[in-house]
């Protein structure tokens, strides 16, 4: 079977579990050499081992993207070790929910650090390499995919700051898309609904139980469902740009 991403390099942030791990594996199975980036080396090694066991190429990059120097160094390590960068998937994220008046300020700050600043640091470091790949690679196209959320489209009580980060991400994605569209760097956003991941495991008591009650009986999306959307975007012919994919669970109304 032809692998559509042969001779390309992809970097996935937040790749130690969930959507990031599934996306890294999916891109590797399409032929990309994949760099898995995150803070938990053990988890990253597990993801890389699975990729390699299935015949793919994986590089582990341990870094905290909320540190601008670590984020930039991580991108440069990928290019130095794998030779180029054709695809960036900004997946790392943090979700804190609950009434604004009862939310710890530290939680708000952490959401901004990961969902906004970390993404910007990685993107800024990667852009020159992605633009170069779009110009000189055999495919003559490169991809930047941002993982947002339905919370980037629908504001709801208890998610004010998470909404802030995801609405902002959607706006950033569209503006950047328009800037680089003629250079054949495709900039896309994927907006997952409720996915069975670790994203909500850190939620405070009370908040977590309320969300569990809300989701009770619903069949949640799997990380592989979102990985499929990312793979679809980046494997299109260069004449096709898929700007946005919204993926909700089948029973999700918001």
């Amino acid at each position: 079977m032809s692998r559509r991403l042969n001779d390309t390099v992809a970097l996935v942030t937040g790749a130690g579990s969930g959507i990031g791990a599934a996306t890294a594996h999916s891109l590797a199975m399409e032929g990309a050499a994949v760099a898995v980036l995150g803070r938990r080396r053990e988890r990253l090694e597990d993801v890389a081992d699975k990729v390699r066991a299935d015949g793919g190429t994986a590089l582990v990059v341990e870094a905290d993207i909320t540190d601008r120097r670590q984020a930039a160094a991580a991108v440069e390590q990928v290019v130095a070790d794998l030779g180029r960068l054709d695809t960036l998937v900004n997946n790392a994220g943090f979700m804190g929910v609950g009434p604004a008046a009862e939310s710890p300020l530290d939680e708000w700050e952490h959401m901004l650090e990961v969902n906004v600043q970390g993404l910007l640091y990685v993107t800024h470091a990667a852009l020159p390499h992605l633009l170069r790949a779009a110009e000189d690679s055999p495919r003559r196209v490169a991809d930047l995919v941002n993982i947002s959320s339905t919370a980037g489209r629908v504001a709801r009580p208890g998610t004010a700051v998470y909404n802030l980060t995801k609405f902002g991400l959607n706006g950033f994605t569209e503006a950047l898309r328009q800037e680089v569209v003629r250079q054949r760097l495709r900039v896309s956003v994927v907006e997952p609904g409720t996915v069975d991941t670790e994203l909500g495991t850190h939620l405070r008591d009370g908040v977590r139980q309320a969300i569990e009650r809300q989701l009770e009986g619903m069949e949640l999306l799997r990380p592989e469902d979102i990985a499929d959307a990312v793979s679809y975007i980046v494997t299109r012919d260069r004449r096709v740009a898929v700007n946005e994919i919204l993926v909700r669970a089948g029973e999700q109304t918001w």
Side-chain angles (χ1 to χ4, degrees), residues 76-130:
E76 295 310 315
Q77 180 186 341
V78 173
V79 175
D81 290 357
L82 298 178
R84 57 186 304 107
L85 180 60
D86 301 86
T87 303
L88 169 63
V89 181
N90 280 314
N91 166 73
F94 175 78
M95 180 180 69
V97 299
E102 301 169 15
S103 296
L105 192 57
D106 286 350
E107 187 174 88
W108 287 4
E109 289 176 340
H110 191 53
M111 271 190 281
L112 291 171
E113 287 168 352
V114 177
N115 300 358
V116 179
Q117 290 179 330
L119 179 141
L120 293 179
Y121 293 155
V122 174
T123 299
H124 187 267
L127 275 171
H129 302 291
L130 293 169

Side-chain angles (χ1 to χ4, degrees), residues 97 200 203-216:
V97 299
L203 294 173
R204 287 170 283 123
D205 289 343
V207 173
R208 183 173 61 254
Q209 285 81 357
I211 289 179
E212 287 172 352
R213 287 193 296 272
Q214 181 185 39
L215 300 179
E216 190 174 1

Side-chain angles (χ1 to χ4, degrees), residues 43 76 139 153 174 196 224:
R43 301 294 294 274
E76 295 310 315
R139 298 180 74 228
R153 299 171 64 97
E174 173 58 16
D196 187 8
E224 291 76 15

Side-chain angles (χ1 to χ4, degrees), residues 40-220:
R40 300 174 295 180
R41 174 167 287 275
E42 234 178 75
R43 301 294 294 274
L44 296 172
E45 294 286 1
D46 289 344
V47 174
D49 286 346
K50 185 175 188 305
V51 167
R52 293 169 189 142
D54 290 338
T57 299
L59 171 70
V60 170
V61 182
E62 182 182 1
D64 179 355
I65 63 168
T66 66
D67 181 317
R68 64 188 297 178
R69 291 179 179 81
Q70 288 189 46
V75 172
E76 295 310 315
Q77 180 186 341
V78 173
V79 175
D81 290 357
L82 298 178
R84 57 186 304 107
L85 180 60
D86 301 86
T87 303
L88 169 63
V89 181
N90 280 314
N91 166 73
F94 175 78
M95 180 180 69
V97 299
E102 301 169 15
S103 296
L105 192 57
D106 286 350
E107 187 174 88
W108 287 4
E109 289 176 340
H110 191 53
M111 271 190 281
L112 291 171
E113 287 168 352
V114 177
N115 300 358
V116 179
Q117 290 179 330
L119 179 141
L120 293 179
Y121 293 155
V122 174
T123 299
H124 187 267
L127 275 171
H129 302 291
L130 293 169
L131 289 168
R132 191 173 305 120
E135 183 179 348
D136 69 12
S137 70
R139 298 180 74 228
R140 299 295 301 278
V141 70
D143 285 281
L144 194 168
V145 182
N146 291 325
I147 306 300
S148 182
S149 168
T150 52
R153 299 171 64 97
V154 181
R156 307 183 77 227
T159 61
V161 178
Y162 190 61
N163 285 137
L164 169 69
T165 67
K166 295 303 184 178
F167 270 78
L169 174 55
N170 287 5
F172 171 74
T173 302
E174 173 58 16
L176 182 60
R177 182 192 72 80
Q178 294 180 35
E179 285 185 26
V180 298
V181 65
R182 292 192 179 278
Q183 294 160 279
R184 292 291 182 172
L185 171 55
R186 301 182 295 203
V187 183
S188 310
V189 65
V190 176
E191 298 152 307
T194 52
V195 185
D196 187 8
T197 71
E198 296 179 357
L199 191 62
T201 56
H202 60 272
L203 294 173
R204 287 170 283 123
D205 289 343
V207 173
R208 183 173 61 254
Q209 285 81 357
I211 289 179
E212 287 172 352
R213 287 193 296 272
Q214 181 185 39
L215 300 179
E216 190 174 1
M218 181 185 292
E219 186 176 5
L220 304 184

